[in-house]
Amino acid sequence: MTADSAAPTAAPRNVVRTGGPKDDSAWLEHVLGWTLVVVVAMFVTQVGWL
């Protein structure tokens, strides 16, 4: 085995993305998460489970 064949190959630049969250969408995830918490809390209070 040569050094060239043992070295890891770099990923090509045109890698197909799967549509998952990107690294810069953390704030969006936080906003959507807290929105879901508020909506669930409103539903629980309207139904009378609290």
Side-chain angles (χ1 to χ4, degrees), residues 24-47:
D24 59 347
S25 66
W27 67 271
L28 179 62
E29 292 178 21
H30 287 292
V31 169
L32 292 176
W34 280 109
T35 303
L36 180 63
V37 168
V38 170
V39 168
V40 169
M42 289 169 49
F43 174 74
V44 167
T45 55
Q46 287 292 321
V47 172

